[in-house]
Amino acid sequence: MRIVVALGGNALLRRGEPLTADNQRANIRVAAEQIAKIHPGNELVIAHGNGPQVGLLSLQAQSYKPEEAYPLDVLGAETEGMIGYIIEQELGNLLDFEVPFATLLTQVEVDANDPAFKDPSKFIGPVYSKEEAERLAKEKGWVVKADGDKFRRVVASPKPQAHL
């Protein structure tokens, strides 16, 4: 049987948790331990979110001059590869050596006129207090919105038109 497992980006780096590689690996290890239990006799497809991870890379990218910073689509691809790599390592530590698996990067086409570009809604990066989020929004030109009792940066999440 083919089973699709979806891991949210916030399951890989939990809300309020420091955005470290060690924390992400530990969280992925917990997920991999559960995924390994359902592997025997099944074909697995693992999808994952990446909001915290893209936010982290965008914060790191701000150490560059604005014209040198990578755009969010490239940062998204970087996080796809990074997360896939760690999932492969952690599952590889649990499954038989002969079990094949691979990481695939995805790409979608979107409409440049999608209304999502005018009303960003995709949370990325860490959580902030209201005051800190407002300060960062002003300093960096971000859009921030409430995410529960905290605030986070939001970016556009346009509807995919085609998968490339």
Side-chain angles (χ1 to χ4, degrees):
M1 173 186 299
R2 180 175 296 152
I3 299 173
V4 177
V5 177
L7 302 172
N10 287 305
L12 304 176
L13 281 171
R14 295 186 179 131
R15 181 182 178 88
E17 180 177 59
L19 304 177
T20 67
D22 287 343
N23 284 339
Q24 181 161 264
R25 180 173 296 283
N27 292 333
I28 289 173
R29 185 176 303 118
V30 169
E33 288 168 352
Q34 300 308 308
I35 292 167
K37 292 176 184 178
I38 61 172
H39 174 266
N42 295 303
E43 180 181 90
L44 302 178
V45 175
I46 303 169
H48 59 79
N50 65 345
Q53 295 81 1
V54 168
L56 172 63
L57 290 183
S58 71
L59 288 172
Q60 291 173 345
Q62 291 184 13
S63 66
Y64 295 99
K65 296 175 187 170
E67 66 274 9
E68 295 173 344
Y70 284 86
L72 286 175
D73 65 320
V74 174
L75 299 180
E78 284 186 56
T79 62
E80 283 184 59
M82 173 186 66
I83 294 166
Y85 174 76
I86 298 171
I87 290 171
E88 283 189 17
Q89 284 187 321
E90 293 303 323
L91 272 177
N93 290 335
L94 298 167
L95 301 178
D96 291 334
F97 180 76
E98 296 79 25
V99 174
F101 46 85
T103 297
L104 302 175
L105 297 183
T106 60
Q107 187 177 30
V108 297
E109 181 180 308
V110 299
D111 181 348
N113 296 314
D114 188 303
F117 288 109
K118 292 182 179 158
D119 184 23
S121 62
K122 170 68 176 155
F123 292 107
I124 67 168
V127 295
Y128 301 101
S129 68
K130 182 177 183 181
E131 297 76 23
E132 188 174 12
E134 289 172 348
R135 179 185 59 77
L136 289 167
K138 185 176 180 180
E139 284 177 11
K140 299 178 182 302
W142 291 355
V143 177
V144 296
K145 292 186 178 178
D147 182 11
D149 63 340
K150 300 287 186 180
F151 287 77
R152 290 175 72 191
R153 180 181 179 193
V154 290
V155 296
S157 184
K159 183 180 176 184
Q161 300 296 305
H163 294 274
L164 307 173

